[in-house]
Amino acid sequence: DAGVTQSPTHLIKTRGQQVTLRCSPKSGHDTVSWYQQALGQGPQFIFQYYEEEERQRGNFPDRFSGHQFPNYSSELNVNALLLGDSALYLCASSLVGGIVYGYTFGSGTRLTVV
Amino acid sequence: AQTVTQSQPEMSVQEAETVTLSCTYDTSENNYYLFWYKQPPSRQMILVIRQEAYKQQNATENRFSVNFQKAAKSFSLKISDSQLGDTAMYFCAFTTHGGGSQGNLIFGKGTKLSVKP
């Protein structure tokens, strides 16, 4: 049973560019959440998608946007990259109503902005 | 504001011994879920143990157990018979039950645990 798959694993971008990160949820899961983890910190919630709609959003600017496809996979887009966007981006999937079981995380995409 | 505090940035323990990681949280909600996640160098967050706030009995998963004190808003993790593979960052997290929606996870800053041979 495949877990959460994220691509790419590493990415280097230049300040001002745009980036797209991808996530395939665990089989059977229908909800995808994205987190940003700065070096030495705990993950911070960016947003959550369910039924192809953004359901919740954390304290992140509009430069961060996302999408969920009919097969439940998801993309995270970041425009006008800043040096401070350098971080590990984690995708987590879950089953709506299955909150008690927690979330399954991928191994993340390490984004470096230079 | 809902917060999670892990007051021990780093800890070390000898192999086969027991270690306890501390976590406190703040929320006005009455129905919520608590988790401990492990993040090894591979970066993937791995669920270690979970606790439902309405259950008074402390959760246990093999060598891992928690001490859940709801009134004190404390949720510590005890690792017994520590193994070298337990070396990792450990994050305490919680989420509220948002009705039909999934609550987002709120994480602490983590505790770096080193198990020494």
Side-chain angles (χ1 to χ4, degrees), chain A residues 1 3 15 19 34 41-42 50 54 64-65 67 102-105:
Chain A
D1 180 22
R15 189 172 49 183
V19 68
W34 287 91
Q41 301 294 317
Y50 171 65
E54 183 183 292
F64 290 77
S65 63
H67 188 77
Y103 298 75
T104 301
F105 283 82

Side-chain angles (χ1 to χ4, degrees), chain A residues 25-90:
Chain A
K26 180 179 179 179
S27 177
H29 285 183
D30 55 13
T31 301
V32 173
S33 302
W34 287 91
Y35 290 81
Q36 180 194 67
Q37 186 178 15
L39 196 61
Q41 301 294 317
Q44 298 287 318
F45 174 70
I46 302 174
F47 43 53
Q48 183 183 89
Y49 277 83
Y50 171 65
E51 290 186 332
E52 302 180 47
E53 290 188 8
E54 183 183 292
R55 298 289 177 164
Q56 294 185 63
R57 189 178 184 91
N59 189 25
F60 279 81
D62 292 344
R63 298 187 297 109
F64 290 77
S65 63
H67 188 77
Q68 185 180 36
F69 299 92
N71 66 352
Y72 307 120
S73 66
S74 176
E75 288 182 349
L76 164 65
N77 300 294
V78 186
N79 293 323
L81 285 166
L82 303 174
L83 297 179
D85 295 331
S86 295
L88 178 67
Y89 288 84
L90 294 167

Side-chain angles (χ1 to χ4, degrees), chain B residues 99-110:
Chain B
S101 66
Q102 293 276 296
N104 58 284
L105 284 168
I106 299 171
F107 285 87
K109 291 187 175 182

Side-chain angles (χ1 to χ4, degrees), chain A residues 9-10 35 37 40-43 45 48 56 88 90 94-103 105-108 110, chain B residues 33 35 37 39 42-45 47 50 52 89 91 95-98 100-110:
Chain A
T9 55
H10 296 85
Y35 290 81
Q37 186 178 15
Q41 301 294 317
F45 174 70
Q48 183 183 89
Q56 294 185 63
L88 178 67
L90 294 167
S94 57
L95 182 63
V96 69
I99 191 172
V100 66
Y101 301 111
Y103 298 75
F105 283 82
S107 295
R110 172 74 66 189
Chain B
Y33 301 84
F35 306 92
Y37 278 91
Q39 188 178 40
S42 66
R43 307 181 321 199
Q44 184 178 13
M45 286 279 190
L47 179 63
R50 56 179 175 254
E52 296 158 57
M89 283 292 292
F91 292 94
T95 186
T96 57
H97 191 281
S101 66
Q102 293 276 296
N104 58 284
L105 284 168
I106 299 171
F107 285 87
K109 291 187 175 182

Side-chain angles (χ1 to χ4, degrees), chain B residues 81-95:
Chain B
D81 186 25
S82 297
Q83 301 176 358
L84 296 178
D86 295 334
T87 294
M89 283 292 292
Y90 286 81
F91 292 94
C92 177
F94 87 96
T95 186

